[in-house]
């Protein structure tokens, strides 16, 4: 926002009721004017081409050379207080050849999948720094990419979020106990 620049803005009196008191489009005050609603072109709809979670492999399998170990060293993305991240190696429990989140260590499973082509393969890893103790959250909108990204403590919750993003063709959702409990799209 800068003097002399044109902006699209909505001004709110408070962020609880969330009702705009002033609207600017292209720098012009259009509050109270009848402005035609934007119609999204048909090509911009139905862009979440992700398989149902039941057909996706969202497990993190123990590498063959660690199959017999009770714990496995895993690379973890550590979130900071900005855009920079660090890498840590954390030992996680090997449960019959599968490595799961450990919310006590604040190490959660992260699922990422390209959403536009329907041909992408899921990428599953681990992240630290969310502080989530149960459930999963994720969405199809981000500041740098529009892929499906879900972070969670349990696979059932991660799967519920993936399926809701797919069903609603986008949005941000939170799941607990295998079902979506909140979200927007």
């Amino acid at each position: 926002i800068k003097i002399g620049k044109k902006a699209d803005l909505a001004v709110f009196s408070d962020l609880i009721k969330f009702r705009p008191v002033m609207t600017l489009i292209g720098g012009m005050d259009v509050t109270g004017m009848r402005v035609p609603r934007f119609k999204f072109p048909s090509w911009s709809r139905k862009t979440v081409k992700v398989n149902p979670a039941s057909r996706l492999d969202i497990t993190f399998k123990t590498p063959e050379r660690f199959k017999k170990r009770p714990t496995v060293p895993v690379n973890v993305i550590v979130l900071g207080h900005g855009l920079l991240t660090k890498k840590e190696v954390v030992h996680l429990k090997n449960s019959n050849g599968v490595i799961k989140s450990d919310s006590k260590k604040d190490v959660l499973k992260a699922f990422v999948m390209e959403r536009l082509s329907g041909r992408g393969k899921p990428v599953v890893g681990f992240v630290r720094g969310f502080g989530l103790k149960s459930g999963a959250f994720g969405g199809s909108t981000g500041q740098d990419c529009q892929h499906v990204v879900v972070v969670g403590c349990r696979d059932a919750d991660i799967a519920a979020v993936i399926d809701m993003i797919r069903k609603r063709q986008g949005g941000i959702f939170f799941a607990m106990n295998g079902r979506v409990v909140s979200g927007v799209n």
Side-chain angles (χ1 to χ4, degrees):
I1 300 173
K2 185 176 178 181
I3 294 175
K5 298 289 183 180
K6 294 181 180 182
D8 295 340
L9 298 171
V11 179
F12 300 91
S13 61
D14 69 75
L15 296 177
I16 303 300
K17 294 179 183 168
F18 215 65
R19 292 187 185 124
V21 295
M22 180 184 208
T23 306
L24 301 170
I25 297 178
M28 184 174 87
D29 186 353
V30 297
T31 308
M33 294 174 71
R34 292 192 57 84
V35 178
R37 289 187 68 107
F38 178 78
K39 294 193 179 186
F40 288 93
S42 61
W43 59 263
S44 70
R45 298 185 193 126
K46 305 251 184 213
T47 61
V48 180
K49 297 176 181 145
V50 174
N51 284 324
S54 61
R55 291 180 45 205
L56 298 172
D57 189 0
I58 62 175
T59 58
F60 192 99
K61 293 177 181 70
T62 305
E64 196 60 45
R65 68 180 188 261
F66 296 117
K67 287 264 186 195
K68 294 182 181 179
R69 292 188 185 180
T71 63
V72 178
V74 176
N75 291 329
V76 175
I77 299 168
V78 180
L79 305 176
H81 294 291
L83 295 175
L84 300 178
T85 60
K86 295 186 298 183
K87 177 184 122 179
E88 263 183 22
V89 175
V90 177
H91 281 77
L92 296 177
K93 186 177 173 188
N94 177 9
S95 300
N96 296 320
V98 175
I99 303 167
K100 297 181 180 178
S101 297
D102 186 340
S103 60
K104 289 179 182 164
K105 291 181 180 179
D106 190 24
V107 178
L108 306 175
K109 185 181 285 185
F111 169 95
V112 180
M113 187 167 179
E114 183 273 332
R115 74 179 233 186
L116 297 171
S117 73
R119 295 184 306 266
K121 298 223 183 285
V123 176
V124 179
F126 291 93
V127 64
R128 172 183 272 174
F130 280 95
L132 193 66
K133 299 295 180 199
S134 63
F137 71 96
S140 60
T141 59
Q143 88 268 9
D144 62 344
C145 75
Q146 309 310 312
H147 300 312
V148 173
V149 179
V150 183
V151 173
C153 299
R154 293 180 43 238
D155 287 358
D157 298 328
I158 292 169
V161 172
I162 293 166
D163 285 341
M164 187 60 75
I165 293 167
R166 180 180 180 272
K167 176 182 175 186
R168 295 277 184 91
Q169 285 296 294
I172 301 169
F173 300 97
F174 181 77
M176 295 242 347
N177 301 318
R179 65 180 196 86
V180 172
V181 295
S182 185
V184 295
N185 71 317

